[in-house]
Amino acid sequence: MIEIVLEILVLAVAFEHVFIMLLEMFFIKSSMAKKNFGLDSKLLERKEVVIMFANQGLYNGFLAAGLFWSFFATENMVTPLRIFFLACVIIAAIYGSITSNKKIIIKQGGLAILAMGVLIASIVI
């Protein structure tokens, strides 16, 4: 049962980061992106800001790709991949909450923290 919960959480984190990637790379000027990231249209008129968001989006895509990879990796690689990529998400959320917005730790890191807890429990149990 814990393995099923873990897989659902890891998939949720991966899909969350695909969503973030899409917002940052392709839909940063959308009302949804502006609302979720607390942006105003004036800031997004600057080409360099849009490029910076696209770059961030690419990194979120890499995090998602690593988590998806864990579903196709050999058995001995699944746990190390999940630990690494979930830790990357958590560290990014901690950094974002310190430097940008305190809510990031929950909004972008919450599922990853929960997944990491379940992952650690699955190793211990």
Side-chain angles (χ1 to χ4, degrees):
M1 179 67 169
I2 196 167
E3 290 298 324
I4 294 170
V5 171
L6 177 59
E7 291 197 359
I8 290 169
L9 287 170
V10 170
L11 275 173
V13 175
F15 281 117
E16 175 184 39
H17 281 76
V18 167
F19 177 73
I20 295 168
M21 176 196 73
L22 292 172
L23 278 181
E24 291 178 341
M25 291 188 78
F26 305 109
F27 302 106
I28 194 60
K29 294 183 179 184
S30 71
S31 59
M32 182 182 292
K34 289 175 191 174
K35 180 182 175 196
N36 279 305
F37 300 129
L39 304 170
D40 63 29
S41 297
K42 192 164 189 116
L43 180 67
L44 296 173
E45 290 173 6
R46 299 178 56 193
K47 183 179 178 183
E48 62 271 14
V49 171
V50 172
I51 290 169
M52 286 177 10
F53 270 102
N55 189 49
Q56 273 184 207
L58 187 61
Y59 285 99
N60 279 292
F62 290 141
L63 294 173
L67 291 170
F68 285 127
W69 176 21
S70 75
F71 286 90
F72 301 99
T74 58
E75 190 176 331
N76 64 329
M77 287 297 297
V78 171
T79 299
L81 284 170
R82 289 179 179 175
I83 289 171
F84 177 77
F85 285 101
L86 288 171
C88 287
V89 170
I90 294 166
I91 291 166
I94 292 168
Y95 183 80
S97 70
I98 291 169
T99 61
S100 178
N101 183 330
K102 293 191 186 321
K103 293 179 183 177
I104 289 175
I105 192 71
I106 300 301
K107 288 173 79 173
Q108 291 184 16
L111 275 176
I113 292 167
L114 185 58
M116 184 69 86
V118 173
L119 177 58
I120 291 168
S122 74
I123 293 168
V124 174
I125 294 175

